[in-house]
Each structure stands twice: as C-alpha cells, then as structure tokens.
Amino acid sequence: MSTTASRGFSPPKLAPTAREFSPSALDINNGVLDATFITHMIPDISPHSGIIGLCAVPHERAGMDDMGWHIADFLAFKALLLGETHRRAQTWLAQCDIPSIVKANPHQYVHGRDRRVVAEAAEASTTTDRAGNIQLRLDQIHIEPSAENLMTDFIAAVNEKCKTIREKGYPLVIIICGPTSIEQDIFFGKADAKYRLTSPQVRNLIGNDVDTIVITPSLFSAGWQVNPSLCRSPVSPVNVDRTTFLAKQFGGIFAKDLVESFLSWKCPLLNVDLVEHEEVQERFPGPAKPSIQQKESIEALQVYIHSALAARLSLGHGDHSFWFDTKRDDWERLVGPRRYRALEHYRQKWENLRMSNAVPPSKERLEFLGTAFGGAKISQINHIKHLIKESFEAWSGYWMLPLGRIAKAKFEGFLRDQSPEVRDCHETFNIMEYRATAAVMADIVTRYLGLPKPYNERCKDWDESRWRADSSDAEQLAVIRPFGDISKGIPSVNVPPAVNPNHLSVIQRRLEVPATYLSVSLYIHYLASTQGIKATVERIQGFFQDIKHCQIRLLLEDPELVQKCTTWLEAIHMPIRSPDDAFATARVTRLPLSAQSIWPRLQNVQDVQDGVRTQTATTRKDQDLNVAPEMPVRASPTLATQTVTKRSIYAELQEVRKEKERLIRTLASASPQAFMEIQKELLEVQERLVGLEREAAEEAQKTGETSKLNASALQFSPSPKNDNIPAQSITATQWPTLQSPSIVVTEDVPSIPRRQHADQLAKENKPLIERPQMSPSPIAQHTNGKMESPNTWMPPHLRKDLSDVVKKAEEKVEVNPLANDSLPPHLRGQLSLDVHFDNSNSDGIQRFRLAITTMVDLEEFAS
C-alpha cells in the first residue's frame, strides 16, 4: 500500500481536458533581481564591515597617461574609509608599488575636480585606543607584482573575511580599481581570460549568506558602478521598482530609437498642440537645411542623450569626482535611507585633504568623455582599447564566424593606431557600449523570465559555434522565428553625429549573439511548443517597451538634457512644454517597438545624377581590409541638402509602397483568421497609393525638372538608364537612416582598397554600389488587364486567394491615367511588389522563405 493510501488519502483521478499540452507564456519576475547602478557617492557602509580593496594595475601602466587614474581612485576610497571600521577589518592589495609611485609624484596623483591630494593614504595609519596608546592599523597596502599570485591573494582575503564576518552577520565591501567588465568581472593586470575572476565565481566564493557590496569603475562614464547586493537576490529593500533599475542597466541599447524620438515630433518637450496640423505632417521639426546654430544644438542633444544612456542615466556622467550632495544621493533615492554614516561626514573628511597647489597640466581630452578615464586623451584612448580587448574575451564563437573575423580585423586596426581620430574613438566607444550592454540585456531577460542558460553560461561566455556543432538542422531552424521577433525590438548601434550610419559596416550592425542566445534559451525551455515561444516573445517585446518608456522618463529628470533639448527647440522656433508637462506626457506616451527613423541624415550627399545618389568614398585607416567597400562615414558640414523638400509627396509615396509590399508579404504567411483583415488594409493602402500617384503626376507637370530632381533624390528604385544593372549588385540610392530596400554585399568586388575600388568604378562610369534589377511583381503583373501566374514561391493554399485579393484591391480603385505617361520615369509602373528571384533556384527560395519568416536583415537573404 502506498504511503498516501495508508494515511487515508486517495489522489483524484486525472482526466485530460485538452488534446495536447501547450506551455503558457512565462511571467516576468516582479522583484529587483539586480540593483546595480552608477553613482558618484560612496555607498552606505557599516562600521562593522569587512573591506577588501584591490588595485590591479601593473607597474608599467601606472602612469597618469595610462591607468594611473585607477590608483588615484584606489587611494581616494582608502582615504574616505580611513578609521571607519575596526583596525583589522580592512585589507588593501595592489599589483604595483603604490607608496613609492605616489611618493615620487604626490601632486600628480590627485582626485576630482578640486584636485585633492590622496598620496597620504598610501601609507599605513595609526589609531589611539581607549587607554591612550598609539596602535598601527593593519591597513597597509600589500604589494604583489605577479598577476597569478595577486589573484590567489585576493581569493584568500575574501575567504578570510567571509569566515570572520559570516559568524557575526556583518557585511562585506569589495572595491576594485583596475580593468573590469560591465558584469563586474575582475582582470588582474590585463584583459585576458587567464587572469580573470568572473562575478559568478566571486559570488560562489562568498556564498549567498553574506551581504556584499561591490564597487567597480564605471566603464562607459565617470563615476563608479555599485552593486549593493551581489549575493542576495531579489534585492530588498529598495526604493524604486524593477523597471527603474532595468532602465538604467539597459544603458544605450535603445539609444538609436530614443535619439530619433527626441529629434522628431514625438519629442516630449515639444508642445505639438501649438503647432499647425499641416506643419506636423512634415517628416521632422525644423528646417530642411539647418543653420550652424541649429546644427550645433542638434548634435549637442544627440551626443548628450547617448552619453546619458551609456552612463546608466546617472547625473554628471562627464565629472569623475566624489559628490556629497544629499539632494542627489543615488543610494537614498534607489536603495533606501542611509543607516550609518551620512554624506556630510564623508564631505568633512574629503575637505580635510589638502588641495594640490601645483599648476594642473594642460591636457587634450575627448570632449564626449569629459574627465572620465583619467581626463586625458591618451588615457581615454587606452581605456577604449581596453574595452575592445575585453570584448575579445567574450562571444568566442562569434569571432570565428566570417562577420566576426571581419569585425575583429577592424577593431585590431584601432588597437594598432597610436593616434586615432576623434570620430573613430567616438564611434568605437558607442559600439563597445552597445555590444557590452547587449550581452547584459540577454542575461537580464533570461534571469527575469527564469529561462535556462544555454550550457549554463552567461551570454558573453556562450560559444555559439559549439552550439551550432552540437545542434541539428531542425533545432537551428526552430530558433529562427524567435530570433527574428526578438531582434525587431533591438535597434542597431547609435553612431555619433560625425559618423554616418553604414548598413554595410560589420561593426555598426546589430550584434546577433544576444538574440540567438535568447532564442536558444526559449527553445530549450519550450522544445516543440511554438505557441509558448510566441507568447513569451511577445512578453519580451513588451518588456523592452516598458524599459524604453522608463528611459524616456528618466532622461527628462536630467536638468542638463532638458536644457539642451530646450536650446534645440528654441533654435528651430518650436513651442516648448514645461518639464513637468513633458514628464506627465512621457508617462502616457509609448514608443513603437523599433522607432522608424524620421530625422534625415544626409551628410556626404554630393549630387544626383541620372536618378542615382552618388557619394564620396572617404579614405579610412581600415580601407586595406579585404571586405566589400563600405558606405562613407565622415559627415559633411550640413545635415540636409537642397534635394530635400519640406513635405515631399514622393517620400510619402515611397512609404505607402513599402506598406503595400509589407501587406503582400504578410498575406503570404497569414493565418485564415487574419486574411480578411489584411485584405481590408490592402484596399485602403491601394486607394491611398493611387491618390498619391495622381498628386505626384500633377506636381511633375507643374514644376518640371526641379521636382523630378527632388523625386530622384527620394527614389529607391533603379533609374531607367540603369536597366542593365547585374542582379548580384546593389545600389546606394537611399538615406542612411531611412528604411532601405533589401541589400546584399556584391559578391564579385575585388579585394582592393576602397578608394582604389571607387576610382575604378568611376572610370567605368558605374555607381559605387548598385542595386539588383527588379522584375515586375509576380503577384500584380498586368498584361492587358490580366494577371499572370506568380514566379515566387507561395504556400499552395494561398496562391489563388492571394492573387485574387491583390487583383480585387487594384481593380476596385480607379487607376490613375497619368501613372504611366505623365509621371517621371523613375515613378512609373511601381504599383507592384519589387521582390523577385529565379524560381528554379531552390537555395534562393529557401533563403527567401527564411527572410519572410524572420523579417530581420532582409538584405542578407535577397540576391
């Protein structure tokens, strides 16, 4: 007899209530699982804490033009914590002889904008006991030049401290000054996995029964990254909700969407209610050709938004100093009231340190970084190079893929460059922040959804090539759809104003490893349940939306951002909301999942010839790489050119055509339930399309060649003069930030420097980049009013229905009689879907089907 039966309990019979088991969508954890944030304030440290300080800077890199600023940070923390705990509670470790180094140059190792001398903290201190006896504190700096031995000493110090404080329930504070990662991994001397101690390893070393505060340098701004609860999760108590912490931790992953939103009619500080309706219909606020003042205000706002996001929405991201202002205390605002020493106590200790009377050396610096990372251009460039080297230790499988190898070659070129240009530094910094944050994003999503970790590894440690080798073709195909849906919510890199977005640049592309990591995690959890995966992906998309929305609200709490945005709006003569009204508006306004670019970036545009926009190939230091020629990235002084009109019918015409193409693609994979709804939308779009073509024809007749020129600048289709363009080529007749047609890298481009390649094409009277010759739509081909059979692959059950739907939608609307006669040549016959490939090519069919399935990076599948 079973145990339950012997206890008088008989389990009820279970009858199936469904034909099959379908896991439901996972719920997102409402707790704060990670409370990491960036701050300029010292945390709330208990007088009973055990403190371990580590300075992992080797002797050869201890100069202030390299990593010496870590030494100044190390001594500043030591000075502030002097005498705050028991005389045996503090352990300070260093890889270089800090006392000797600062003794030789005491006025060189100063800290903060007030240049406080912290050299005295390098020596051991004394204290007076109750009996009046002077005793030596055991806070002298232990020096160990060997990286391996220093790692061993650090682990031993952690074990020793934990053994002491665990018995009494005291907290542990770990302060790291030196090379680290955004996950707070510790590198001993250099960015090498051999000399790395990861944060999970430190967490396992300590255990989950010790309250631990970890302080590391902020990698993408001034200040320090603080984790108030390394080993306990969820974190409690805290003063703000989960989304606020996540909005900070997601950094600049959504920077591209937010920058475009602030520079559009959706700007929270722009009072659209006071703008005339006709003016709001324009593509963006302000003039098409801005003045110098307007351009400067635009660029200042763009740079500041990204810098604020990269700084995890902390104030003063360009000032590497300690703050003691209680009104801006991040600890009290995010974690809770201070229970131990007040900030005023630390302010007095800081002001007791003497200020350097030496004349500060004049340093050239990267303005977008302020005084962060040493405040000198040389030290800041060295920090960016550390970010690159640290990224090489992540995503081991990615760097073995073709795109990864090309990207690594570009980054290695930056490492070799002793004096890179400012715009290259800015672009590389933004890319490194984006990639590091993308890995954190993937870890956060899996953690909050309770998803399994592939191979039980973090995203940055996951080897995608190993997974591809271990998985079957069916498993790899199963992750394509969630990969595409997740990627929709992740924009590409937000490049600085001096750099044009380049769709062909492998380093500006969206890093696909995090989305793949999440897709594999979803597949492991749900296996064959597509319904569960789809529902959870929708949760993830909503998760991203909430975080993006919260980031906008937090940006509006930054007084400097409000001031820069107000300056821009005043420069373009737009009405301005008060910050309170803007904040209230932001609470109810939601951005689309991936905001479409509405601010035209037309730097580098020279002229328009034969309906093809030509651009100047800019010589860069990576031009000798064996890759396809890239679009130019150096910006011209103007934001727009004379080819842009305030309200272009042709631009709107292109958008409506793209919408029609999207609906036709959707029909090809639509469910029977959604089929009728899409039919109605297609009819409405067709009506709008015919009306716009009529307007375009009339405007072409009225204005003549000028309008044709303007229309050519906005036209994405090939010119009639380029009818013989080979099918394997592509065109560059698009604005970099506008939605572009499907593109692929030319296969037959020789491996020659980009400038040489551009010159060669110029001699042959060819554009730098071409577009494939598009055939008329297989769905909407007209021959004497009849529709021909489609050439593209289509699900059998939809072939007749889909053709009938498109035919009825086009026949129900009166066709514009001017469409084929009076329109400019490049606008004729564009009623159909411009997607075609050889039906006999089974590989092309498969790639096209995958493109429709994922709806991500269509340019990789079109050929």
Side-chain angles (χ1 to χ4, degrees), residues 718-783:
S719 168
K721 297 183 180 181
N722 294 327
D723 289 340
N724 297 322
I725 295 177
Q728 69 272 21
S729 304
I730 56 177
T731 186
T733 61
Q734 77 268 16
W735 295 343
T737 57
L738 294 178
Q739 187 69 26
S740 61
S742 302
I743 54 176
V744 290
V745 178
T746 304
E747 298 177 359
D748 56 354
V749 174
S751 298
I752 56 178
R754 184 163 5 114
R755 169 65 70 179
Q756 182 180 346
H757 177 69
D759 294 340
Q760 177 181 340
L761 291 179
K763 293 178 181 179
E764 298 174 2
N765 196 23
K766 293 182 179 180
L768 180 61
I769 304 178
E770 299 175 337
R771 176 182 176 165
Q773 174 67 24
M774 294 299 186
S775 299
S777 168
I779 299 174
Q781 291 183 20
H782 290 274
T783 306

Side-chain angles (χ1 to χ4, degrees), residues 398-420:
Y398 166 77
W399 302 113
M400 294 187 293
L401 299 174
L403 288 178
R405 291 197 296 268
I406 297 173
K408 189 171 185 179
K410 288 181 175 289
F411 291 137
E412 287 175 341
F414 185 91
L415 293 177
R416 292 190 298 269
D417 195 343
Q418 297 300 318
S419 56

Side-chain angles (χ1 to χ4, degrees), residues 2 52 82 110 155 179 220 241 320 336 397 406 421 441 452 488 496 521 552 559 573 576 604-605 742 751 757 844 854:
S2 66
I52 300 176
L82 178 64
V110 295
I155 294 173
F220 302 104
D241 59 7
H320 194 64
I406 297 173
E421 298 179 11
M441 173 206 67
K488 289 179 184 177
S521 179
I552 292 178
H573 311 293
I576 303 171
N604 270 11
V605 179
S742 302
S751 298
H757 177 69
T854 63

Side-chain angles (χ1 to χ4, degrees), residues 781-841:
Q781 291 183 20
H782 290 274
T783 306
N784 297 326
K786 298 181 180 180
M787 186 170 301
E788 299 180 358
S789 301
N791 294 326
T792 54
W793 179 90
M794 191 181 306
H797 68 284
L798 291 180
R799 289 174 183 170
K800 183 177 184 303
D801 294 341
L802 182 57
S803 300
D804 292 341
V805 169
V806 179
K807 182 177 181 181
K808 290 178 182 178
E810 295 182 347
E811 291 180 350
K812 191 170 183 179
V813 182
E814 178 186 358
V815 179
N816 179 14
L818 300 175
N820 291 325
D821 298 326
S822 303
L823 279 178
H826 60 275
L827 292 179
R828 298 175 187 170
Q830 294 296 319
L831 295 177
S832 59
L833 174 64
D834 287 341
V835 176
H836 173 70
F837 58 88
D838 186 3
N839 192 34
S840 63
N841 187 344

Side-chain angles (χ1 to χ4, degrees), residues 403-459:
L403 288 178
R405 291 197 296 268
I406 297 173
K408 189 171 185 179
K410 288 181 175 289
F411 291 137
E412 287 175 341
F414 185 91
L415 293 177
R416 292 190 298 269
D417 195 343
Q418 297 300 318
S419 56
E421 298 179 11
V422 173
R423 71 174 182 86
D424 290 334
C425 295
H426 202 166
E427 179 188 15
T428 304
F429 181 82
N430 286 12
I431 292 171
M432 290 297 103
E433 190 276 332
Y434 175 89
R435 291 182 167 223
T437 306
V440 172
M441 173 206 67
D443 292 333
I444 288 175
V445 172
T446 55
R447 193 173 181 186
Y448 273 88
L449 285 174
L451 291 170
K453 297 180 180 180
Y455 294 129
N456 198 29
E457 293 176 334
R458 301 177 301 179
C459 177

Side-chain angles (χ1 to χ4, degrees), residues 270 275 279 286-287 293-294 567-576:
L270 172 58
V275 183
E279 194 170 359
Q293 178 189 2
Q294 292 167 341
T567 301
W568 167 60
L569 292 174
E570 289 176 346
I572 62 175
H573 311 293
M574 286 291 169
I576 303 171

Side-chain angles (χ1 to χ4, degrees), residues 484-485 488 662 665-666 850-858:
D485 292 337
K488 289 179 184 177
R662 185 191 67 79
R665 288 192 182 97
T666 306
L850 292 178
I852 294 178
T853 302
T854 63
M855 295 300 292
V856 171
D857 287 345
L858 285 173

Side-chain angles (χ1 to χ4, degrees), residues 31 52 158 198 201 236 247 256 410 416 484 503 506 544 596 698 722 755 799 820 829 856:
I52 300 176
V158 171
T198 67
Q201 290 173 332
S236 181
K256 181 177 173 61
K410 288 181 175 289
R416 292 190 298 269
H503 296 293
V506 294
F544 290 167
Q596 183 182 7
E698 293 172 355
N722 294 327
R755 169 65 70 179
R799 289 174 183 170
N820 291 325
V856 171

